[in-house]
Amino acid sequence: MVFVLVAVAVLALLVGVHRYAWRRFVGDTTAPGSALRRAGTVAAWLLPLLSIGALVSGRAGAPFWLQQTLAWPGFLWLAALLYLTMALLVGEVVRPVLRRVLVRRATGEGRAGRAAAAAGNDAADTDSSPAEAPASGTLAGPATLVVEAPAPSSPAVDPSRRLFVARAVGGAAAVAGLGTAGYGTYGVLRGPRVKRVTVPLAKLPRSAHGFRIAVVSDIHLGPILGRAHTQRIVDTINGTQPDLIAVVGDLVDGTVADLGPAAEPLARLTARHGAFFVTGNHEYFSGAAQWVDHVRELGLHPLENARVEIDGFDLAGVNDVAGESEGQGPDFERALGDRDRTRAAVLLAHQPVVIDEAVAHGVDLQLSGHTHGGQLWPGNYLAELANPTVAGLERYGDTQLYVSRGAGAWGPPVRVGAPSDITVVQLASRQV
């Protein structure tokens, strides 16, 4: 019942936003019956249908080629619609100001014209010779009937002025909205940039000082981001020459059958202590057990509520909380319960929300993703409501939490205000 209510609310919102966008971009700027209006109306119906198709095709088990066909226009339109709508709302503030400026200009020009005409009439009256005036006592000529021209219509209701304002505001909103979405798309397709963070750990021995972990999350292979995206990430990670690689969930949005080839470049990840993997919530939408087996075949080491000893610290990993629906959720006791607490512990956990469990089990550093840093501004403010940390490094008691913005994108391949990253976390010993 709750799902149905949410679905109805989302559908109503989409209908309202599209109606508003159609009015401002099409209804206010084109003539009834014109080719441009017909094209804009068709787009106003087609684009939301493509977006809905992109959102549901994967969950509905549609053929992968159909998912790919719908994904690009459908998801891109959702991002474009967000920024077009925001630009239009700014335009609502600009619109009355622009109208007043145009009205004042027109009123000023009208007054200047009438003043010039009045000055000309005064000059004509002055040029009349007194000799031409009728003599006293003579009958004057016939009276002249003066009919004043009707006052021009009020500039505020001039249809041409309204059309100019609508087109100016609509055009500026289109440039701003589409430009923002386009730049955000370029940022994703260009690939993630490398960030470097140094994290001091009190229990880390001197022998492990400077140990470097390449953290990558939220790669989101799917109908849009494929093998080329994976290869860019692998090349970037290998270029940092890390000691260990941590893939902290949301690797895929689809099945092994559809996306296995896209994941193959992961086999070329290179690090002295290997590459490790934990599940994210999207793995449980895509067949988590099959993906765990597949990444193992590619040479990664899945940590399913498990722990391994690395030189100088313990590396643990827990399943994502979404696995609870399959009886495969996080088990901190299994991963960390019997360890030697005099050793430093680094935990791989997809979602930051498990930080309280990490604190309770004496974890020194938790590495997470999931939030995308908000991905589409102002989404970061919504992400803050659901996550203790949206991006970066923060401390919770004796535990530090680092959250990556991720290397890919879910849904629209667009990032605004939250650039994708691969983070090299360098551990520092306080005993040096």
Side-chain angles (χ1 to χ4, degrees), residues 182-236:
Y183 182 76
T185 303
Y186 166 74
V188 171
L189 299 183
R190 176 194 61 195
R193 292 295 183 255
V194 175
K195 290 181 61 179
R196 298 181 185 274
V197 176
T198 298
V199 181
L201 299 181
K203 300 175 187 175
L204 191 73
R206 297 173 64 179
S207 60
H209 179 75
F211 193 99
R212 290 172 297 117
I213 304 173
V215 181
V216 60
S217 73
D218 302 280
I219 295 174
H220 283 290
L221 300 179
I224 293 178
L225 301 175
R227 188 185 182 99
H229 178 60
T230 312
Q231 189 61 60
R232 281 192 296 269
I233 290 170
V234 169
D235 292 342
T236 302

Side-chain angles (χ1 to χ4, degrees), residues 182-429:
Y183 182 76
T185 303
Y186 166 74
V188 171
L189 299 183
R190 176 194 61 195
R193 292 295 183 255
V194 175
K195 290 181 61 179
R196 298 181 185 274
V197 176
T198 298
V199 181
L201 299 181
K203 300 175 187 175
L204 191 73
R206 297 173 64 179
S207 60
H209 179 75
F211 193 99
R212 290 172 297 117
I213 304 173
V215 181
V216 60
S217 73
D218 302 280
I219 295 174
H220 283 290
L221 300 179
I224 293 178
L225 301 175
R227 188 185 182 99
H229 178 60
T230 312
Q231 189 61 60
R232 281 192 296 269
I233 290 170
V234 169
D235 292 342
T236 302
I237 291 174
N238 287 344
T240 67
Q241 299 181 319
D243 296 304
L244 184 146
I245 299 166
V247 182
V248 288
D250 278 9
L251 171 64
V252 292
D253 284 306
T255 65
V256 172
D258 290 334
L259 295 173
E264 285 178 358
L266 294 173
R268 293 189 283 277
L269 286 171
T270 303
R272 184 161 57 100
H273 291 276
F276 294 83
F277 170 79
V278 293
T279 55
N281 55 308
H282 282 249
E283 270 72 61
Y284 293 97
F285 306 148
S286 307
Q290 291 82 4
W291 274 111
V292 168
D293 290 341
H294 190 63
V295 299
R296 185 180 286 113
E297 292 171 0
L298 294 174
L300 282 73
H301 308 288
L303 290 175
E304 298 181 274
N305 298 321
R307 180 179 78 252
V308 295
E309 289 188 3
I310 307 293
D311 293 345
F313 64 95
D314 293 335
L315 180 71
V318 292
N319 296 343
D320 186 71
V321 294
E324 292 174 351
S325 62
E326 302 178 11
Q328 298 293 328
D331 188 336
F332 283 83
E333 193 62 29
R334 179 179 163 193
L336 295 162
D338 60 347
R339 75 179 192 87
D340 179 2
R341 290 208 176 194
T342 63
R343 289 171 56 86
V346 176
L347 174 70
L348 310 183
H350 177 63
Q351 297 196 41
V353 293
V354 300
I355 184 62
D356 291 338
E357 287 281 357
V359 173
H361 285 82
V363 169
D364 297 276
L365 173 63
Q366 175 179 319
L367 302 174
S368 298
H370 183 65
T371 68
H372 297 207
Q375 185 167 329
L376 297 171
W377 184 90
N380 54 305
Y381 297 111
L382 295 176
E384 287 176 358
L385 300 177
N387 297 278
T389 297
V390 173
L393 182 68
E394 290 189 359
R395 177 177 288 277
Y396 295 84
D398 293 330
T399 302
Q400 296 181 79
L401 168 64
Y402 181 79
V403 180
S404 167
R405 290 190 177 95
W410 180 81
V414 182
R415 281 177 171 267
V416 176
S420 57
D421 68 65
I422 291 167
T423 304
V424 176
V425 175
Q426 181 167 304
L427 306 181
S429 171

Side-chain angles (χ1 to χ4, degrees), residues 93-189:
V93 178
V94 175
R95 190 183 303 271
V97 175
L98 183 57
R99 282 178 177 167
R100 282 196 293 270
V101 169
L102 294 176
V103 166
R104 287 177 181 174
R105 177 182 294 180
T107 303
E109 291 174 352
R111 287 174 179 168
R114 288 194 295 273
N121 290 337
D122 291 344
D125 291 343
T126 304
D127 288 343
S128 298
S129 170
E132 296 174 0
S136 178
T138 17
L139 291 175
T144 303
L145 178 63
V146 178
V147 180
E148 292 186 0
S153 60
S154 170
V157 296
D158 188 340
S160 64
R161 188 168 293 111
R162 285 202 305 268
L163 182 61
F164 173 80
V165 171
R167 288 178 173 175
V169 172
V175 170
L178 295 178
T180 300
Y183 182 76
T185 303
Y186 166 74
V188 171
L189 299 183

Side-chain angles (χ1 to χ4, degrees), residues 23-103:
R23 178 188 168 194
R24 288 308 192 199
F25 284 123
V26 181
D28 291 350
T29 62
T30 60
S34 67
L36 283 175
R37 176 165 292 199
R38 287 195 297 270
T41 302
V42 168
W45 282 97
L46 180 61
L47 289 170
L49 291 177
L50 289 173
S51 296
I52 293 172
L55 288 167
V56 304
S57 59
R59 300 289 181 90
F64 191 61
W65 66 265
L66 180 58
Q67 295 180 43
Q68 291 176 303
T69 301
L70 295 171
W72 271 105
F75 282 128
L76 278 175
W77 173 242
L78 287 176
L81 180 64
L82 170 64
Y83 293 108
L84 287 170
T85 303
M86 291 173 65
L88 283 176
L89 292 175
V90 173
E92 298 298 345
V93 178
V94 175
R95 190 183 303 271
V97 175
L98 183 57
R99 282 178 177 167
R100 282 196 293 270
V101 169
L102 294 176
V103 166

